[in-house]
mmCIF file of all heavy atoms in Angstrom:
data_model
loop_
_atom_site.group_PDB
_atom_site.id
_atom_site.type_symbol
_atom_site.label_atom_id
_atom_site.label_comp_id
_atom_site.label_asym_id
_atom_site.label_seq_id
_atom_site.Cartn_x
_atom_site.Cartn_y
_atom_site.Cartn_z
ATOM 1 N N ASP A 1 91.977 123.212 71.771
ATOM 2 C CA ASP A 1 92.636 121.995 72.250
ATOM 3 C C ASP A 1 93.946 121.767 71.504
ATOM 4 O O ASP A 1 94.940 121.312 72.079
ATOM 5 C CB ASP A 1 91.718 120.789 72.067
ATOM 6 C CG ASP A 1 90.502 120.853 72.969
ATOM 7 O OD1 ASP A 1 90.592 121.487 74.041
ATOM 8 O OD2 ASP A 1 89.461 120.281 72.614
ATOM 9 N N THR A 2 93.945 122.074 70.210
ATOM 10 C CA THR A 2 95.161 121.907 69.411
ATOM 11 C C THR A 2 96.246 122.862 69.875
ATOM 12 O O THR A 2 97.433 122.507 69.957
ATOM 13 C CB THR A 2 94.853 122.144 67.920
ATOM 14 O OG1 THR A 2 93.877 121.185 67.479
ATOM 15 C CG2 THR A 2 96.110 121.993 67.073
ATOM 16 N N GLU A 3 95.856 124.081 70.178
ATOM 17 C CA GLU A 3 96.834 125.094 70.604
ATOM 18 C C GLU A 3 97.558 124.676 71.880
ATOM 19 O O GLU A 3 98.737 124.951 72.060
ATOM 20 C CB GLU A 3 96.126 126.439 70.842
ATOM 21 C CG GLU A 3 95.447 127.016 69.606
ATOM 22 C CD GLU A 3 96.408 127.708 68.660
ATOM 23 O OE1 GLU A 3 97.567 127.909 69.055
ATOM 24 O OE2 GLU A 3 95.993 128.036 67.540
ATOM 25 N N SER A 4 96.837 123.975 72.782
ATOM 26 C CA SER A 4 97.415 123.630 74.090
ATOM 27 C C SER A 4 97.722 122.139 74.224
ATOM 28 O O SER A 4 97.944 121.653 75.324
ATOM 29 C CB SER A 4 96.450 124.047 75.206
ATOM 30 O OG SER A 4 95.203 123.368 75.056
ATOM 31 N N ILE A 5 97.739 121.421 73.109
ATOM 32 C CA ILE A 5 97.905 119.969 73.145
ATOM 33 C C ILE A 5 99.300 119.595 73.633
ATOM 34 O O ILE A 5 100.273 120.325 73.397
ATOM 35 C CB ILE A 5 97.667 119.363 71.734
ATOM 36 C CG1 ILE A 5 97.406 117.859 71.813
ATOM 37 C CG2 ILE A 5 98.831 119.646 70.806
ATOM 38 C CD1 ILE A 5 96.072 117.495 72.336
ATOM 39 N N ASP A 6 99.383 118.476 74.354
ATOM 40 C CA ASP A 6 100.687 117.918 74.696
ATOM 41 C C ASP A 6 100.764 116.514 74.099
ATOM 42 O O ASP A 6 99.782 115.995 73.564
ATOM 43 C CB ASP A 6 100.939 117.913 76.203
ATOM 44 C CG ASP A 6 99.909 117.096 76.979
ATOM 45 O OD1 ASP A 6 99.365 116.113 76.431
ATOM 46 O OD2 ASP A 6 99.649 117.434 78.151
ATOM 47 N N ALA A 7 101.934 115.903 74.174
ATOM 48 C CA ALA A 7 102.156 114.616 73.521
ATOM 49 C C ALA A 7 101.232 113.531 74.065
ATOM 50 O O ALA A 7 100.713 112.710 73.314
ATOM 51 C CB ALA A 7 103.620 114.200 73.671
ATOM 52 N N ALA A 8 101.005 113.535 75.373
ATOM 53 C CA ALA A 8 100.175 112.497 75.977
ATOM 54 C C ALA A 8 98.730 112.597 75.493
ATOM 55 O O ALA A 8 98.097 111.588 75.171
ATOM 56 C CB ALA A 8 100.232 112.613 77.505
ATOM 57 N N LYS A 9 98.187 113.817 75.426
ATOM 58 C CA LYS A 9 96.803 114.003 74.990
ATOM 59 C C LYS A 9 96.629 113.668 73.514
ATOM 60 O O LYS A 9 95.643 113.039 73.113
ATOM 61 C CB LYS A 9 96.360 115.443 75.261
ATOM 62 C CG LYS A 9 96.210 115.777 76.738
ATOM 63 C CD LYS A 9 95.782 117.225 76.933
ATOM 64 C CE LYS A 9 95.640 117.562 78.408
ATOM 65 N NZ LYS A 9 95.277 118.995 78.614
ATOM 66 N N LEU A 10 97.580 114.081 72.682
ATOM 67 C CA LEU A 10 97.476 113.783 71.249
ATOM 68 C C LEU A 10 97.626 112.289 71.002
ATOM 69 O O LEU A 10 96.909 111.705 70.181
ATOM 70 C CB LEU A 10 98.535 114.558 70.459
ATOM 71 C CG LEU A 10 98.511 114.352 68.941
ATOM 72 C CD1 LEU A 10 97.127 114.627 68.368
ATOM 73 C CD2 LEU A 10 99.562 115.232 68.264
ATOM 74 N N SER A 11 98.534 111.656 71.729
ATOM 75 C CA SER A 11 98.723 110.217 71.597
ATOM 76 C C SER A 11 97.454 109.464 71.964
ATOM 77 O O SER A 11 97.035 108.535 71.262
ATOM 78 C CB SER A 11 99.880 109.756 72.489
ATOM 79 O OG SER A 11 100.049 108.354 72.419
ATOM 80 N N ARG A 12 96.800 109.896 73.038
ATOM 81 C CA ARG A 12 95.574 109.221 73.463
ATOM 82 C C ARG A 12 94.443 109.463 72.459
ATOM 83 O O ARG A 12 93.644 108.573 72.194
ATOM 84 C CB ARG A 12 95.161 109.695 74.859
ATOM 85 C CG ARG A 12 93.966 108.923 75.423
ATOM 86 C CD ARG A 12 93.837 109.069 76.911
ATOM 87 N NE ARG A 12 92.689 108.313 77.433
ATOM 88 C CZ ARG A 12 92.705 107.013 77.685
ATOM 89 N NH1 ARG A 12 93.812 106.323 77.469
ATOM 90 N NH2 ARG A 12 91.629 106.410 78.152
ATOM 91 N N PHE A 13 94.369 110.662 71.905
ATOM 92 C CA PHE A 13 93.359 110.965 70.878
ATOM 93 C C PHE A 13 93.505 110.011 69.692
ATOM 94 O O PHE A 13 92.521 109.487 69.171
ATOM 95 C CB PHE A 13 93.523 112.416 70.421
ATOM 96 C CG PHE A 13 92.696 112.781 69.218
ATOM 97 C CD1 PHE A 13 91.319 112.966 69.326
ATOM 98 C CD2 PHE A 13 93.293 112.953 67.975
ATOM 99 C CE1 PHE A 13 90.548 113.311 68.207
ATOM 100 C CE2 PHE A 13 92.544 113.295 66.856
ATOM 101 C CZ PHE A 13 91.161 113.475 66.979
ATOM 102 N N ILE A 14 94.738 109.769 69.284
ATOM 103 C CA ILE A 14 94.979 108.881 68.139
ATOM 104 C C ILE A 14 94.708 107.429 68.519
ATOM 105 O O ILE A 14 94.064 106.684 67.763
ATOM 106 C CB ILE A 14 96.426 109.055 67.626
ATOM 107 C CG1 ILE A 14 96.627 110.483 67.097
ATOM 108 C CG2 ILE A 14 96.732 108.040 66.527
ATOM 109 C CD1 ILE A 14 98.066 110.808 66.751
ATOM 110 N N GLU A 15 95.182 107.005 69.685
ATOM 111 C CA GLU A 15 94.989 105.620 70.123
ATOM 112 C C GLU A 15 93.510 105.276 70.247
ATOM 113 O O GLU A 15 93.062 104.220 69.783
ATOM 114 C CB GLU A 15 95.683 105.395 71.469
ATOM 115 C CG GLU A 15 97.190 105.304 71.387
ATOM 116 C CD GLU A 15 97.838 105.155 72.756
ATOM 117 O OE1 GLU A 15 97.165 105.401 73.770
ATOM 118 O OE2 GLU A 15 99.028 104.809 72.803
ATOM 119 N N ILE A 16 92.753 106.163 70.857
ATOM 120 C CA ILE A 16 91.332 105.891 71.089
ATOM 121 C C ILE A 16 90.556 105.806 69.785
ATOM 122 O O ILE A 16 89.683 104.944 69.619
ATOM 123 C CB ILE A 16 90.732 106.988 72.000
ATOM 124 C CG1 ILE A 16 91.215 106.812 73.441
ATOM 125 C CG2 ILE A 16 89.199 106.955 71.961
ATOM 126 C CD1 ILE A 16 90.777 107.916 74.371
ATOM 127 N N ASN A 17 90.874 106.671 68.843
ATOM 128 C CA ASN A 17 90.051 106.803 67.639
ATOM 129 C C ASN A 17 90.578 106.074 66.419
ATOM 130 O O ASN A 17 89.940 106.124 65.357
ATOM 131 C CB ASN A 17 89.870 108.291 67.318
ATOM 132 C CG ASN A 17 89.107 109.025 68.398
ATOM 133 O OD1 ASN A 17 87.949 108.718 68.672
ATOM 134 N ND2 ASN A 17 89.754 109.991 69.051
ATOM 135 N N SER A 18 91.703 105.378 66.551
ATOM 136 C CA SER A 18 92.270 104.658 65.404
ATOM 137 C C SER A 18 91.577 103.315 65.205
ATOM 138 O O SER A 18 92.073 102.266 65.631
ATOM 139 C CB SER A 18 93.784 104.459 65.594
ATOM 140 O OG SER A 18 94.457 105.682 65.517
ATOM 141 N N LEU A 19 90.423 103.352 64.563
ATOM 142 C CA LEU A 19 89.707 102.125 64.234
ATOM 143 C C LEU A 19 90.087 101.690 62.826
ATOM 144 O O LEU A 19 90.073 102.486 61.892
ATOM 145 C CB LEU A 19 88.187 102.344 64.317
ATOM 146 C CG LEU A 19 87.646 102.870 65.648
ATOM 147 C CD1 LEU A 19 86.121 102.904 65.601
ATOM 148 C CD2 LEU A 19 88.120 102.022 66.812
ATOM 149 N N HIS A 20 90.401 100.404 62.689
ATOM 150 C CA HIS A 20 90.802 99.853 61.399
ATOM 151 C C HIS A 20 89.703 98.931 60.869
ATOM 152 O O HIS A 20 88.656 98.761 61.500
ATOM 153 C CB HIS A 20 92.124 99.103 61.546
ATOM 154 C CG HIS A 20 93.268 99.992 61.952
ATOM 155 N ND1 HIS A 20 94.161 100.514 61.046
ATOM 156 C CD2 HIS A 20 93.648 100.471 63.160
ATOM 157 C CE1 HIS A 20 95.047 101.263 61.674
ATOM 158 N NE2 HIS A 20 94.762 101.256 62.968
ATOM 159 N N LEU A 21 89.934 98.349 59.701
ATOM 160 C CA LEU A 21 88.967 97.382 59.185
ATOM 161 C C LEU A 21 88.750 96.279 60.206
ATOM 162 O O LEU A 21 87.639 95.782 60.375
ATOM 163 C CB LEU A 21 89.454 96.807 57.848
ATOM 164 C CG LEU A 21 89.329 97.743 56.645
ATOM 165 C CD1 LEU A 21 89.969 97.115 55.417
ATOM 166 C CD2 LEU A 21 87.878 98.100 56.362
ATOM 167 N N VAL A 22 89.827 95.883 60.891
ATOM 168 C CA VAL A 22 89.734 94.992 62.048
ATOM 169 C C VAL A 22 90.498 95.661 63.184
ATOM 170 O O VAL A 22 91.697 95.916 63.077
ATOM 171 C CB VAL A 22 90.326 93.593 61.759
ATOM 172 C CG1 VAL A 22 90.322 92.752 63.040
ATOM 173 C CG2 VAL A 22 89.537 92.890 60.663
ATOM 174 N N THR A 23 89.799 95.962 64.269
ATOM 175 C CA THR A 23 90.393 96.643 65.410
ATOM 176 C C THR A 23 90.511 95.673 66.574
ATOM 177 O O THR A 23 89.540 94.995 66.919
ATOM 178 C CB THR A 23 89.527 97.842 65.846
ATOM 179 O OG1 THR A 23 89.408 98.750 64.740
ATOM 180 C CG2 THR A 23 90.140 98.560 67.036
ATOM 181 N N GLU A 24 91.698 95.600 67.167
ATOM 182 C CA GLU A 24 91.857 94.713 68.317
ATOM 183 C C GLU A 24 91.285 95.361 69.568
ATOM 184 O O GLU A 24 91.544 96.519 69.868
ATOM 185 C CB GLU A 24 93.320 94.353 68.552
ATOM 186 C CG GLU A 24 93.492 93.358 69.694
ATOM 187 C CD GLU A 24 94.856 92.691 69.719
ATOM 188 O OE1 GLU A 24 95.671 92.952 68.814
ATOM 189 O OE2 GLU A 24 95.108 91.905 70.659
ATOM 190 N N TYR A 25 90.491 94.581 70.294
ATOM 191 C CA TYR A 25 89.831 95.056 71.512
ATOM 192 C C TYR A 25 90.846 95.200 72.635
ATOM 193 O O TYR A 25 91.614 94.291 72.929
ATOM 194 C CB TYR A 25 88.745 94.055 71.925
ATOM 195 C CG TYR A 25 88.084 94.329 73.255
ATOM 196 C CD1 TYR A 25 86.917 95.085 73.342
ATOM 197 C CD2 TYR A 25 88.624 93.833 74.441
ATOM 198 C CE1 TYR A 25 86.306 95.332 74.565
ATOM 199 C CE2 TYR A 25 88.022 94.087 75.670
ATOM 200 C CZ TYR A 25 86.858 94.834 75.717
ATOM 201 O OH TYR A 25 86.271 95.075 76.923
ATOM 202 N N ASN A 26 90.859 96.368 73.283
ATOM 203 C CA ASN A 26 91.595 96.575 74.524
ATOM 204 C C ASN A 26 90.981 97.781 75.220
ATOM 205 O O ASN A 26 90.114 98.461 74.645
ATOM 206 C CB ASN A 26 93.114 96.741 74.275
ATOM 207 C CG ASN A 26 93.441 97.950 73.433
ATOM 208 O OD1 ASN A 26 93.036 99.067 73.731
ATOM 209 N ND2 ASN A 26 94.191 97.732 72.343
ATOM 210 N N PRO A 27 91.356 98.078 76.454
ATOM 211 C CA PRO A 27 90.716 99.170 77.188
ATOM 212 C C PRO A 27 90.870 100.541 76.548
ATOM 213 O O PRO A 27 90.163 101.473 76.924
ATOM 214 C CB PRO A 27 91.414 99.119 78.551
ATOM 215 C CG PRO A 27 91.848 97.706 78.702
ATOM 216 C CD PRO A 27 92.255 97.285 77.318
ATOM 217 N N VAL A 28 91.787 100.699 75.593
ATOM 218 C CA VAL A 28 91.934 101.977 74.905
ATOM 219 C C VAL A 28 91.010 102.044 73.690
ATOM 220 O O VAL A 28 90.224 102.981 73.535
ATOM 221 C CB VAL A 28 93.405 102.213 74.482
ATOM 222 C CG1 VAL A 28 93.523 103.473 73.637
ATOM 223 C CG2 VAL A 28 94.295 102.332 75.711
ATOM 224 N N THR A 29 91.081 101.042 72.816
ATOM 225 C CA THR A 29 90.300 101.084 71.578
ATOM 226 C C THR A 29 88.799 100.968 71.823
ATOM 227 O O THR A 29 88.001 101.391 70.987
ATOM 228 C CB THR A 29 90.732 99.967 70.617
ATOM 229 O OG1 THR A 29 90.559 98.687 71.257
ATOM 230 C CG2 THR A 29 92.182 100.129 70.212
ATOM 231 N N VAL A 30 88.400 100.405 72.965
ATOM 232 C CA VAL A 30 86.971 100.241 73.225
ATOM 233 C C VAL A 30 86.261 101.592 73.286
ATOM 234 O O VAL A 30 85.085 101.703 72.929
ATOM 235 C CB VAL A 30 86.732 99.439 74.524
ATOM 236 C CG1 VAL A 30 87.062 100.257 75.749
ATOM 237 C CG2 VAL A 30 85.295 98.945 74.600
ATOM 238 N N VAL A 31 86.969 102.648 73.670
ATOM 239 C CA VAL A 31 86.361 103.977 73.715
ATOM 240 C C VAL A 31 85.987 104.426 72.306
ATOM 241 O O VAL A 31 84.872 104.887 72.045
ATOM 242 C CB VAL A 31 87.307 104.997 74.367
ATOM 243 C CG1 VAL A 31 86.643 106.366 74.441
ATOM 244 C CG2 VAL A 31 87.721 104.534 75.751
ATOM 245 N N GLY A 32 86.921 104.281 71.367
ATOM 246 C CA GLY A 32 86.644 104.650 69.984
ATOM 247 C C GLY A 32 85.563 103.796 69.368
ATOM 248 O O GLY A 32 84.742 104.273 68.570
ATOM 249 N N LEU A 33 85.522 102.512 69.735
ATOM 250 C CA LEU A 33 84.495 101.618 69.197
ATOM 251 C C LEU A 33 83.104 102.096 69.590
ATOM 252 O O LEU A 33 82.180 102.086 68.771
ATOM 253 C CB LEU A 33 84.735 100.191 69.701
ATOM 254 C CG LEU A 33 85.978 99.484 69.153
ATOM 255 C CD1 LEU A 33 86.257 98.203 69.916
ATOM 256 C CD2 LEU A 33 85.800 99.176 67.664
ATOM 257 N N PHE A 34 82.949 102.520 70.836
ATOM 258 C CA PHE A 34 81.637 102.962 71.288
ATOM 259 C C PHE A 34 81.297 104.365 70.825
ATOM 260 O O PHE A 34 80.131 104.757 70.840
ATOM 261 C CB PHE A 34 81.536 102.855 72.815
ATOM 262 C CG PHE A 34 81.199 101.476 73.264
ATOM 263 C CD1 PHE A 34 82.186 100.618 73.701
ATOM 264 C CD2 PHE A 34 79.896 101.011 73.217
ATOM 265 C CE1 PHE A 34 81.879 99.317 74.096
ATOM 266 C CE2 PHE A 34 79.578 99.733 73.613
ATOM 267 C CZ PHE A 34 80.573 98.878 74.051
ATOM 268 N N ASN A 35 82.291 105.117 70.397
ATOM 269 C CA ASN A 35 82.024 106.448 69.860
ATOM 270 C C ASN A 35 81.699 106.419 68.379
ATOM 271 O O ASN A 35 81.281 107.432 67.816
ATOM 272 C CB ASN A 35 83.231 107.371 70.096
ATOM 273 C CG ASN A 35 83.341 107.810 71.539
ATOM 274 O OD1 ASN A 35 82.354 107.808 72.267
ATOM 275 N ND2 ASN A 35 84.544 108.175 71.961
ATOM 276 N N SER A 36 81.893 105.281 67.732
ATOM 277 C CA SER A 36 81.607 105.173 66.304
ATOM 278 C C SER A 36 80.108 105.222 66.054
ATOM 279 O O SER A 36 79.293 104.784 66.867
ATOM 280 C CB SER A 36 82.182 103.870 65.749
ATOM 281 O OG SER A 36 81.760 103.667 64.397
ATOM 282 N N MET A 37 79.730 105.756 64.888
ATOM 283 C CA MET A 37 78.327 105.811 64.508
ATOM 284 C C MET A 37 77.800 104.433 64.094
ATOM 285 O O MET A 37 76.597 104.227 64.009
ATOM 286 C CB MET A 37 78.136 106.798 63.350
ATOM 287 C CG MET A 37 78.467 108.237 63.712
ATOM 288 S SD MET A 37 77.403 108.884 65.032
ATOM 289 C CE MET A 37 75.831 108.944 64.169
ATOM 290 N N ILE A 38 78.697 103.499 63.814
ATOM 291 C CA ILE A 38 78.280 102.145 63.426
ATOM 292 C C ILE A 38 77.822 101.395 64.670
ATOM 293 O O ILE A 38 78.565 101.262 65.637
ATOM 294 C CB ILE A 38 79.430 101.393 62.732
ATOM 295 C CG1 ILE A 38 79.831 102.120 61.449
ATOM 296 C CG2 ILE A 38 79.023 99.953 62.412
ATOM 297 C CD1 ILE A 38 80.975 101.475 60.701
ATOM 298 N N GLN A 39 76.601 100.883 64.630
ATOM 299 C CA GLN A 39 75.980 100.329 65.832
ATOM 300 C C GLN A 39 76.028 98.810 65.913
ATOM 301 O O GLN A 39 75.598 98.228 66.913
ATOM 302 C CB GLN A 39 74.527 100.813 65.911
ATOM 303 C CG GLN A 39 74.416 102.322 66.058
ATOM 304 C CD GLN A 39 72.981 102.810 65.992
ATOM 305 O OE1 GLN A 39 72.128 102.166 65.405
ATOM 306 N NE2 GLN A 39 72.715 103.947 66.609
ATOM 307 N N ILE A 40 76.530 98.155 64.872
ATOM 308 C CA ILE A 40 76.655 96.698 64.910
ATOM 309 C C ILE A 40 78.141 96.343 64.967
ATOM 310 O O ILE A 40 78.928 96.780 64.120
ATOM 311 C CB ILE A 40 75.994 96.027 63.689
ATOM 312 C CG1 ILE A 40 74.506 96.366 63.640
ATOM 313 C CG2 ILE A 40 76.178 94.515 63.736
ATOM 314 C CD1 ILE A 40 73.780 95.783 62.441
ATOM 315 N N HIS A 41 78.511 95.565 65.967
ATOM 316 C CA HIS A 41 79.902 95.174 66.161
ATOM 317 C C HIS A 41 80.021 93.652 66.074
ATOM 318 O O HIS A 41 79.243 92.935 66.700
ATOM 319 C CB HIS A 41 80.409 95.634 67.533
ATOM 320 C CG HIS A 41 80.380 97.117 67.722
ATOM 321 N ND1 HIS A 41 80.817 97.723 68.885
ATOM 322 C CD2 HIS A 41 79.973 98.122 66.910
ATOM 323 C CE1 HIS A 41 80.679 99.028 68.774
ATOM 324 N NE2 HIS A 41 80.157 99.295 67.584
ATOM 325 N N LEU A 42 80.997 93.191 65.311
ATOM 326 C CA LEU A 42 81.272 91.756 65.202
ATOM 327 C C LEU A 42 82.612 91.467 65.851
ATOM 328 O O LEU A 42 83.611 92.110 65.540
ATOM 329 C CB LEU A 42 81.303 91.316 63.731
ATOM 330 C CG LEU A 42 81.614 89.840 63.495
ATOM 331 C CD1 LEU A 42 80.441 88.963 63.926
ATOM 332 C CD2 LEU A 42 81.960 89.572 62.030
ATOM 333 N N LEU A 43 82.633 90.496 66.770
ATOM 334 C CA LEU A 43 83.854 90.128 67.461
ATOM 335 C C LEU A 43 84.312 88.740 67.024
ATOM 336 O O LEU A 43 83.521 87.798 67.050
ATOM 337 C CB LEU A 43 83.644 90.117 68.981
ATOM 338 C CG LEU A 43 83.460 91.445 69.716
ATOM 339 C CD1 LEU A 43 82.115 92.084 69.386
ATOM 340 C CD2 LEU A 43 83.567 91.231 71.224
ATOM 341 N N LEU A 44 85.558 88.639 66.626
ATOM 342 C CA LEU A 44 86.195 87.334 66.456
ATOM 343 C C LEU A 44 86.983 87.079 67.728
ATOM 344 O O LEU A 44 87.940 87.791 68.036
ATOM 345 C CB LEU A 44 87.124 87.313 65.239
ATOM 346 C CG LEU A 44 88.013 86.066 65.108
ATOM 347 C CD1 LEU A 44 87.180 84.795 64.984
ATOM 348 C CD2 LEU A 44 88.975 86.209 63.933
ATOM 349 N N ILE A 45 86.552 86.077 68.487
ATOM 350 C CA ILE A 45 87.215 85.740 69.745
ATOM 351 C C ILE A 45 88.118 84.548 69.488
ATOM 352 O O ILE A 45 87.654 83.435 69.243
ATOM 353 C CB ILE A 45 86.175 85.428 70.835
ATOM 354 C CG1 ILE A 45 85.191 86.605 70.982
ATOM 355 C CG2 ILE A 45 86.857 85.148 72.164
ATOM 356 C CD1 ILE A 45 84.029 86.339 71.905
ATOM 357 N N MET A 46 89.417 84.784 69.525
ATOM 358 C CA MET A 46 90.388 83.769 69.110
ATOM 359 C C MET A 46 91.729 84.021 69.772
ATOM 360 O O MET A 46 92.114 85.165 70.021
ATOM 361 C CB MET A 46 90.536 83.797 67.581
ATOM 362 C CG MET A 46 91.423 82.734 67.002
ATOM 363 S SD MET A 46 91.444 82.811 65.184
ATOM 364 C CE MET A 46 92.185 81.205 64.815
#
């Protein structure tokens, strides 16, 4: 995958999996959130 990667695919790989101490919910980050091994999620709705 690395050998044939393009900018769009690498950008999406980083966007999806960039979880921080606090991650903002959106249709991109939600994929990484559900792929995490951590099974308890806390949402601050504000």
Side-chain angles (χ1 to χ4, degrees):
D1 293 333
T2 299
E3 299 280 350
S4 60
I5 198 74
D6 60 30
K9 291 179 180 178
L10 181 54
S11 178
R12 186 162 180 81
F13 171 74
I14 296 172
E15 286 177 345
I16 287 175
N17 296 298
S18 292
L19 304 185
H20 297 263
L21 285 174
V22 175
T23 301
E24 184 164 357
Y25 173 92
N26 62 53
V28 174
T29 59
V30 72
V31 182
L33 291 169
F34 278 99
N35 285 337
S36 172
M37 296 298 292
I38 298 179
Q39 297 174 335
I40 300 178
H41 299 181
L42 179 71
L43 289 70
L44 170 60
I45 305 173
M46 185 177 195

